């Protein structure tokens, strides 16, 4: 081996050109003529770093907590100092910690609620948190306060948490070692209603220095902008090894045909091909794809996290409530309804109803003895299993259109309100569970379940009662969108280079 210790590149090249170096050394030095493609660009500036962090951690107001001028903010010299970069306690990338005695909150997000149909002219900041405590009695929760931070003044506005909404029922299950979703809400004093809070901190006592500082999300309609129809909320995607790319294209294009104008999904871990599809939809603006993790003490390395999630199904169910409610509050000003569903579910109109708009127009005409308005309209579940032994019902449909191919279903619908999914009216709903509205305005009824002749939730999975598999029926209701969904999907597969060349021989 030839070792050069004292000669720099220019000296070596000079000797090489003079012919005084030869043999193997000459072959090695011939490569010295080539320049390495080294990235010589300078690193990002502070503003770019802030933007990168803001994209990766949406609810951390990094541009404020990393601003030295903000560190001087306080109510007075001994009370309510602004929490800055080093004081904020972050868990699993996206959760900010707040301890109040024996109760710990892991805060995911905060939202400004100015909906007149719910707040009655007040303004409310709702803080979405996972709490290591749950009680059937609101009075059992420790007192907390909001320190609201504004651009207009350096002092915080301090107000007491006046409402706690649990997004899980105590009777469904409770115990140590798990965290439970809640909304903690603070009403803003009337004199500050013309201002928009930029961030909020939760504290146990008004003068405490907080360990959290959460950006307040607020995205109202712009001037002359009208509220759109339907957004869709999907929980965290956890498919690291299974290629779901083709399933998601069919699913998203079918949602588009049903009336969806925006879909929000949350990142856990997915196959590279699935990432390719989701990135495509994100570029088009149809999909919002947001970061997510669990609030438990858990490594975020993909394989470990996937294994940990598979071993804790209870925590999985509890954490699903967070992305659903984050999605609701991100879309409540801009969309009239949000659908809370999974990627193997389709809330489908039946009969003469063609899309979700038709269903909601019909829903406005529904009145019962006690109810004239409903916060949510829900769909009775019907299972579409694999029936792997049955041949394809229609060979004209490519085999990679999973839902279009699976038209055999069980005969009977699940009874109303069981395994249901709903379209939620953003004027009336305060919090949602996976299957129904959890809290809503007092002057509307909670939900109405469509008759099976009007709509159904097509759930593409195996039924929990295996005996129902024995009497299948054919249901081609989805085929009303067949041509448009297949045409759009094939175009996307082509654009993303998913087709392989097949030998015709």
């Amino acid at each position: 081996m030839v070792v050069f210790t004292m000669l720099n590149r220019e000296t070596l090249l000079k000797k090489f050109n003079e012919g005084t170096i030869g043999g193997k050394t000459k072959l090695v030095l011939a490569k010295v003529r080539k320049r390495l493609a080294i990235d010589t660009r300078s690193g990002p500036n502070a503003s770019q770093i802030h933007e990168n962090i803001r994209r990766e951690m949406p609810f951390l107001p990094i541009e404020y907590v990393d601003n030295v001028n903000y560190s001087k903010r306080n109510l007075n010299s001994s009370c309510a100092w602004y929490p800055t970069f080093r004081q904020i306690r972050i868990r699993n990338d996206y959760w900010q910690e707040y301890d109040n005695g024996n109760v710990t909150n892991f805060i995911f997000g905060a939202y400004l609620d100015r909906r007149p149909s719910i707040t009655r002219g007040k303004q409310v900041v709702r803080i979405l948190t996972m709490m290591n405590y749950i009680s059937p009695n609101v009075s059992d929760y420790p007192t907390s306060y909001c320190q609201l931070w504004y651009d207009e003044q350096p002092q915080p506005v301090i107000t007491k948490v006046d409402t706690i909404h649990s997004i899980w029922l105590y009777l469904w299950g409770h115990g140590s070692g798990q965290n439970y979703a809640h909304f903690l809400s603070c009403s803003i004093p009337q004199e500050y209603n013309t201002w928009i809070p930029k961030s909020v901190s939760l504290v146990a006592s008004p003068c405490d220095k907080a360990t959290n500082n959460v950006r307040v999300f607020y995205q109202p309609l712009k001037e002359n902008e009208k509220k759109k129809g339907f957004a869709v909320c999907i929980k965290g995607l956890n498919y690291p090894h299974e290629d779901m790319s083709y399933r998601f294209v069919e699913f998203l294009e079918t949602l588009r045909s049903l009336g969806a104008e925006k879909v929000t999904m949350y990142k856990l871990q997915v196959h590279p091909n699935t990432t390719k599809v989701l990135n495509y939809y994100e570029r088009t603006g149809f999909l919002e794809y947001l970061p997510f993790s669990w609030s438990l003490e858990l490594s975020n390395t993909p394989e470990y996290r996937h294994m940990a999630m598979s071993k804790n199904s209870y925590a999985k169910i509890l954490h699903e409530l967070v992305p659903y409610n984050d999605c609701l509050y991100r879309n409540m000003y801009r969309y009239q309804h949000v659908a809370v569903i999974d990627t193997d579910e389709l809330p489908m109109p039946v009969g003469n109803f063609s899309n979700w708009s038709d269903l909601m127009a019909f829903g406005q005409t529904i009145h019962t003895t006690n109810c004239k308005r409903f916060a949510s309209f829900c769909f009775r579940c019907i299972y579409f299993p694999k029936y792997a032994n049955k041949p394809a019902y229609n060979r004209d449909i490519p085999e990679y259109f999973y839902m279009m191919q699976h038209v055999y279903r069980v005969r009977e619908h699940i009874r109303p309100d069981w395994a249901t999914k709903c379209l939620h009216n953003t004027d009336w709903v305060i919090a949602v569970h996976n299957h129904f509205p959890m809290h809503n305005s007092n002057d509307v009824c909670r939900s109405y379940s469509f008759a099976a002749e009007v709509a159904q939730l097509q759930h593409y999975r195996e039924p929990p009662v295996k005996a129902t598999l024995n009497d299948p029926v054919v249901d081609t209701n989805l085929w009303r969108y067949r041509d448009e969904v297949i045409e759009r999907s094939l175009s996307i597969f082509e654009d993303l280079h998913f087709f392989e060349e097949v030998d015709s021989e």
Side-chain angles (χ1 to χ4, degrees):
M1 183 174 71
V2 179
V3 179
F4 300 103
T5 58
M6 301 297 291
L7 301 180
N8 60 26
R9 179 178 183 275
E10 287 72 21
T11 302
L12 290 171
L13 285 174
K14 182 178 179 182
K15 289 181 174 292
F16 175 77
N17 292 330
E18 292 171 349
T20 56
I21 294 179
K24 291 183 179 179
T25 306
K26 189 172 184 178
L27 290 175
V28 172
L29 290 176
K31 297 182 179 180
V32 177
R33 287 184 176 276
K34 298 181 179 179
R35 292 189 178 274
L36 291 178
I38 298 172
D39 188 348
T40 59
R41 294 175 297 179
S42 58
N45 58 34
S47 178
Q48 291 167 329
I49 290 173
H50 285 174
E51 183 57 34
N52 291 340
I53 294 175
R54 180 169 179 164
R55 185 170 55 253
E56 294 165 349
M57 305 172 70
F59 284 106
L60 178 67
I62 186 64
E63 67 274 27
Y64 302 130
V65 300
D66 193 39
N67 186 328
V68 66
N69 294 321
Y70 277 64
S71 65
K72 302 171 185 176
R73 291 179 155 211
N74 54 68
L75 189 65
N76 59 55
S77 61
S78 61
C79 182
W81 283 83
Y82 189 84
T84 55
F85 189 85
R86 293 179 62 186
Q87 282 92 43
I88 295 171
R89 292 164 54 191
I90 294 177
R91 181 178 177 125
N92 284 358
D93 297 343
Y94 312 117
W95 306 81
Q96 296 187 34
E97 294 189 35
Y98 155 56
D99 292 327
N100 190 350
N102 293 327
V103 176
T104 298
N105 286 266
F106 302 98
I107 305 167
F108 185 78
Y111 318 85
L112 180 61
D113 192 346
R114 306 173 86 179
R115 293 174 291 175
S117 52
I118 291 178
T119 63
R120 302 294 188 269
K122 294 194 300 183
Q123 295 190 32
V124 176
V125 171
R126 303 196 192 277
I127 302 168
L128 179 58
T129 176
M130 291 292 281
M131 192 183 298
N132 69 344
Y133 176 80
I134 187 170
S135 172
N137 304 309
V138 174
S139 59
D140 292 340
Y141 289 83
T143 300
S144 293
Y145 295 85
C146 288
Q147 295 174 346
L148 298 164
W149 301 96
Y150 293 84
D151 279 347
E152 287 81 359
Q153 67 178 31
Q155 300 84 15
V157 174
I158 302 177
T159 180
K160 187 178 179 180
V161 170
D162 54 27
T163 309
I164 298 176
H165 289 107
S166 174
I167 318 177
W168 182 262
L169 288 185
Y170 183 83
L171 295 175
W172 292 341
H174 56 276
S176 61
Q178 300 289 354
N179 297 332
Y180 301 88
H182 292 76
F183 270 123
L184 277 60
S185 301
C186 287
S187 299
I188 298 175
Q190 190 75 27
E191 58 266 34
Y192 296 99
N193 273 6
T194 58
W195 295 354
I196 304 300
K198 296 302 179 182
S199 67
V200 60
S201 302
L202 278 178
V203 290
S205 181
C207 282
D208 285 354
K209 186 162 188 176
T211 59
N212 59 90
N213 191 344
V214 185
R215 186 189 309 279
V216 176
F217 186 88
Y218 179 57
Q219 192 176 41
L221 291 171
K222 298 175 183 177
E223 188 176 356
N224 299 323
E225 188 178 9
K226 292 184 178 180
K227 209 170 188 179
K228 295 181 180 178
F230 301 92
V232 178
C233 301
I234 309 288
K235 64 189 179 187
L237 302 180
N238 187 23
Y239 305 98
H241 307 123
E242 184 180 3
D243 185 351
M244 296 291 289
S245 57
Y246 67 104
R247 291 285 301 270
F248 282 6
V249 170
E250 181 188 20
F251 173 67
L252 290 167
E253 290 307 318
T254 304
L255 290 180
R256 196 193 301 272
S257 290
L258 286 167
E261 294 160 278
K262 178 188 175 184
V263 178
T264 300
M265 293 179 170
Y266 291 79
K267 300 177 185 179
L268 286 171
Q269 47 265 331
V270 296
H271 186 280
N273 281 351
T274 308
T275 298
K276 192 175 180 181
V277 164
L278 298 176
N279 288 344
Y280 165 83
Y281 278 103
E282 194 173 26
R283 289 195 301 272
T284 68
F286 185 60
L287 174 68
E288 185 177 28
Y289 193 32
L290 298 171
F292 190 60
S293 68
W294 278 9
S295 65
L296 298 176
E297 194 168 345
L298 179 71
S299 169
N300 272 327
T301 56
E303 290 289 358
Y304 180 91
R305 182 171 62 181
H306 178 64
M307 179 180 291
M309 289 179 174
S310 69
K311 294 179 180 294
N312 195 343
S313 58
Y314 186 37
K316 176 178 178 291
I317 293 170
L318 293 173
H319 279 85
E320 287 173 358
L321 300 172
V322 173
Y324 288 142
N325 283 279
D326 177 65
C327 176
L328 167 67
Y329 275 78
R330 284 177 174 275
N331 293 293
M332 64 182 176
Y333 295 117
R334 308 186 71 80
Y335 295 87
Q336 190 62 56
H337 295 89
V338 295
V340 172
I341 59 175
D342 291 340
T343 55
D344 59 355
E345 296 173 332
L346 291 173
M348 289 290 297
V350 174
N352 294 327
F353 299 102
S354 298
N355 51 45
W356 291 341
S357 292
D358 289 350
L359 285 176
M360 291 301 97
F362 172 67
Q364 299 308 310
T365 69
I366 295 174
H367 305 296
T368 63
T369 303
N370 299 318
C371 298
K372 294 184 178 180
R373 291 183 295 192
F374 299 90
S376 305
F377 287 91
C378 303
F379 297 69
R380 290 181 63 183
C381 178
I382 188 72
Y383 292 106
F384 284 70
K386 289 182 179 179
Y387 287 113
N389 295 328
K390 286 186 175 294
Y393 189 77
N394 187 320
R395 296 188 181 278
D396 292 335
I397 298 175
E399 68 277 5
Y400 41 83
F401 285 91
Y402 183 91
M403 292 182 291
M404 292 289 178
Q405 282 281 4
H406 286 77
V407 295
Y408 290 101
R409 64 165 174 82
V410 302
R411 184 171 293 275
E412 300 296 332
H413 291 72
I414 301 296
R415 76 184 197 181
D417 300 325
W418 280 47
T420 187
K421 293 295 172 75
C422 309
L423 291 172
H424 304 282
N425 191 320
T426 55
D427 285 341
W428 307 115
V429 175
I430 297 171
V432 294
H433 180 265
N434 306 43
H435 294 295
F436 40 76
M438 195 72 183
H439 300 281
N440 55 272
S441 176
N442 292 329
D443 55 0
V444 296
C445 292
R446 180 158 296 179
S447 64
Y448 178 87
S449 183
F450 285 126
E453 297 76 26
V454 173
Q456 62 188 19
L457 178 71
Q458 299 190 183
H459 200 167
Y460 293 84
R461 55 157 284 184
E462 303 307 299
V465 180
K466 300 306 178 186
T468 60
L469 290 166
N470 300 329
D471 187 24
V473 297
V474 173
D475 186 335
T476 58
N477 188 49
L478 184 61
W479 283 4
R480 68 177 76 189
Y481 314 114
R482 180 177 61 182
D483 292 344
E484 60 193 75
V485 168
I486 290 178
E487 181 180 359
R488 290 197 302 261
S489 299
L490 291 177
S491 177
I492 292 168
F493 294 145
E494 191 74 47
D495 289 346
L496 296 180
H497 307 291
F498 276 174
F499 288 116
E500 297 177 330
E501 293 296 331
V502 179
D503 191 347
S504 59
E505 294 183 4

